[in-house]
């Protein structure tokens, strides 16, 4: 069985984009791979080092979202990065094999550095820690979005460089891109936590209705009767995912017969129906903290068993065993 690892920063609650783009894919992969799912709290420190008190609840909520969304802890090991110290050890060793210009050239680094004014050593090393997350499980594949592709390539480069220097040790991990529909935000801006411009798994039905009511549609369709263009309408994009008979929508939208409010309320019913089982499971898990932390503890035990094996080999191949 091949090994898969993926990670997600504990940013708070998973939104529809995380669910459709990542979690749903992981749920299908957990049957056919040895799977490790890591809540990367150390990565979050790159932005939250002055705000660490928020992490505990975010980590818990993320674990809840994973389980509610269909991750089976019997199949996948779900764990917190900082529970498995080998990530840090390998991060340090890999940091010796990567040059600073390689890291400062990464688009993710350039963009985020500007946007957030980040300039720490830890932030520069973000992709090296990510490479360690992957290689410490000797993962074959890494399911991530396109925005993460270059980070996985860096991990593969580091694996190759390590193998050349010290002998065959790591697989060169590959990106596993999932096909999934792009989930539009509610207001045409950039997806953002602070703007709260997305629907979260944790939202209740009423909140979902409220959020959809304010959602942007075709800007040329101002009132019922105006002709709409479903092909550019983000509400219709969501219909295509959540409304089984969405083929009935374009004609009355174009003719003006179907108003945006009615159209959105139809979507709300379908979206709420699709999310109902997840939300129900979510509530039970939130009331059962002990169980969620048991899952995370068990996941970390399994993760450590795997990483101990890798690190023994790494230390041996690097000749770091002195007695
Ligand atoms: N950088 C990833 C993101 O922002 C999160 C992440 C950290 C990750 N470590 C990982 C993803 C290892 C895949 C594998 O989405």
């Amino acid at each position: 069985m091949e090994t898969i690892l993926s990670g997600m920063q504990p940013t708070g609650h998973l939104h529809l984009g995380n669910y459709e783009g990542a979690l749903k894919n992981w749920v299908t992969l957990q049957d056919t791979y040895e799977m490790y799912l890591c809540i990367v709290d150390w990565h979050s420190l790159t932005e939250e080092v002055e705000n660490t008190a928020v992490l505990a609840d975010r980590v818990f909520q993320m674990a809840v979202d994973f389980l509610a969304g269909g991750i089976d802890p019997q199949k996948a090991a779900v764990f917190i990065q900082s529970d498995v110290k080998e990530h840090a050890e390998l991060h340090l060793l890999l940091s010796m094999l990567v040059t600073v210009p390689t890291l400062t050239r990464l688009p993710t680094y350039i963009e985020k550095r500007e946007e957030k004014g980040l300039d720490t050593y830890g932030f520069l090393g973000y992709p090296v820690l990510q490479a360690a997350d992957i290689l410490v499980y000797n993962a074959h594949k890494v399911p991530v979005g396109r925005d993460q592709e270059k980070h996985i390539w860096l991990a593969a480069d580091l694996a190759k460089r390590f193998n050349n220097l010290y002998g065959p040790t790591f697989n060169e991990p590959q990106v596993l891109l999932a096909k999934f529909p792009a989930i539009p935000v509610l207001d045409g801006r950039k997806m953002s936590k602070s703007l709260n411009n997305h629907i979260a798994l944790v939202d209740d039905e009423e909140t979902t209705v409220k959020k959809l009511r304010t959602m942007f549609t075709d800007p040329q369709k101002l009132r019922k009767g105006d002709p709409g263009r479903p092909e550019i309408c983000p509400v219709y994009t969501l219909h295509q995912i959540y409304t089984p008979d969405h083929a009935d929508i374009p004609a009355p939208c174009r003719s003006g017969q179907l108003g945006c409010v009615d159209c959105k309320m139809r979507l709300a019913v379908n979206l709420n129906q699709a999310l109902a089982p997840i939300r129900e499971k979510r509530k039970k898990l939130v009331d059962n903290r002990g169980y969620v932390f048991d899952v995370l503890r068990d996941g970390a035990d399994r993760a450590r068993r795997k990483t101990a094996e890798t690190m023994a080999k790494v230390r041996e191949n690097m000749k770091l065993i002195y007695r």
Side-chain angles (χ1 to χ4, degrees):
M1 224 191 218
E2 286 198 319
T3 301
I4 275 199
L5 172 124
S6 200
M8 211 185 264
Q9 277 197 54
T11 47
H13 298 289
L14 256 67
H15 50 67
L16 271 190
N18 303 133
Y19 177 62
E20 295 293 338
L23 189 54
K24 245 186 176 172
N25 185 34
W26 296 351
V27 170
T28 57
L29 294 168
Q30 67 183 344
D31 290 320
T32 39
Y33 289 92
E34 179 180 331
M35 185 164 217
Y36 296 89
L37 295 177
C38 184
I39 300 174
V40 292
D41 58 327
W42 280 337
H43 276 105
S44 289
L45 291 180
T46 54
E47 290 179 52
E48 302 292 2
V49 75
E50 292 175 0
N51 199 21
T52 50
V54 301
L55 290 176
D57 187 56
R58 289 186 186 173
V59 165
F60 175 73
Q61 298 296 340
M62 179 151 280
V64 166
D65 277 333
F66 284 4
L67 298 175
I71 295 299
D72 177 352
Q74 305 284 337
K75 295 176 182 161
V78 182
F79 62 97
I80 305 167
Q81 184 184 37
S82 61
D83 277 343
V84 187
K85 311 299 182 204
E86 285 82 355
H87 291 235
E89 183 183 358
L90 187 58
H91 171 224
L92 179 133
L93 298 175
L94 295 177
S95 75
M96 308 299 165
L97 300 178
V98 66
T99 68
V100 171
T102 300
L103 297 175
T104 54
R105 271 198 300 266
L106 286 168
T108 41
Y109 175 79
I110 295 165
E111 279 160 31
K112 232 178 175 186
R113 178 172 181 266
E114 279 228 337
E115 191 189 313
K116 312 238 164 160
L118 292 172
D119 217 0
T120 64
Y121 172 59
F123 172 61
L124 178 67
Y126 181 112
V128 186
L129 179 57
Q130 184 168 352
D133 295 340
I134 297 163
L135 299 186
V136 83
Y137 297 88
N138 220 348
H140 300 84
K141 305 227 168 77
V142 188
V144 285
R146 245 186 222 295
D147 62 312
Q148 292 294 307
E149 226 170 9
K150 289 210 164 77
H151 287 182
I152 314 309
W153 295 341
L154 176 74
D157 281 348
L158 284 169
K160 195 187 278 181
R161 175 141 168 76
F162 191 103
N163 294 345
N164 284 338
L165 274 171
Y166 306 114
T169 310
F170 294 117
N171 298 312
E172 289 173 33
Q174 287 175 343
V175 184
L176 199 61
L177 288 176
K179 260 213 238 139
F180 66 91
I183 302 294
V185 291
L186 301 173
D187 58 2
R189 289 189 279 188
K190 224 180 129 173
M191 176 88 69
S192 151
K193 241 198 141 60
S194 49
L195 294 173
N196 193 22
N197 58 357
H198 51 254
I199 288 159
L201 296 184
V202 70
D203 289 343
D204 59 18
E205 302 203 344
E206 228 173 289
T207 309
T208 305
V209 171
K210 245 189 248 160
K211 283 185 176 175
L212 287 182
R213 192 171 311 200
T214 63
M215 189 170 173
F216 279 28
T217 58
D218 177 355
Q220 285 179 19
K221 184 169 165 70
L222 296 176
R223 57 184 63 81
K224 189 172 170 177
D226 291 347
R229 295 167 297 172
E231 68 278 4
I232 63 141
C233 177
V235 171
Y236 185 61
T237 305
L238 290 180
H239 268 300
Q240 287 172 292
I241 308 167
Y242 297 105
T243 301
D245 49 356
H246 60 81
D248 299 348
I249 290 173
C253 169
R254 279 185 219 288
S255 73
Q257 219 178 337
L258 177 64
C260 290
V261 178
D262 289 344
C263 181
K264 288 167 166 181
M265 291 308 106
R266 235 177 112 181
L267 173 63
V269 169
N270 294 320
L271 180 56
N272 277 331
Q273 207 162 26
L275 296 181
I278 299 177
R279 288 168 169 167
E280 202 139 304
K281 225 170 145 190
R282 221 192 169 284
K283 273 195 207 128
K284 287 194 192 127
L285 289 161
V286 167
D287 290 337
N288 204 346
R289 289 179 69 87
Y291 168 75
V292 175
F293 284 111
D294 281 347
V295 165
L296 292 172
R297 197 169 313 118
D298 173 66
D301 286 343
R302 280 152 67 192
R304 272 192 301 263
R305 244 172 276 147
K306 182 83 171 184
T307 60
E309 226 173 87
T310 312
M311 289 314 294
K313 204 160 135 194
V314 164
R315 293 180 208 116
E316 186 182 321
N317 292 359
M318 283 185 84
K319 307 205 183 331
L320 297 177
I321 297 168
Y322 306 119
R323 56 179 71 77

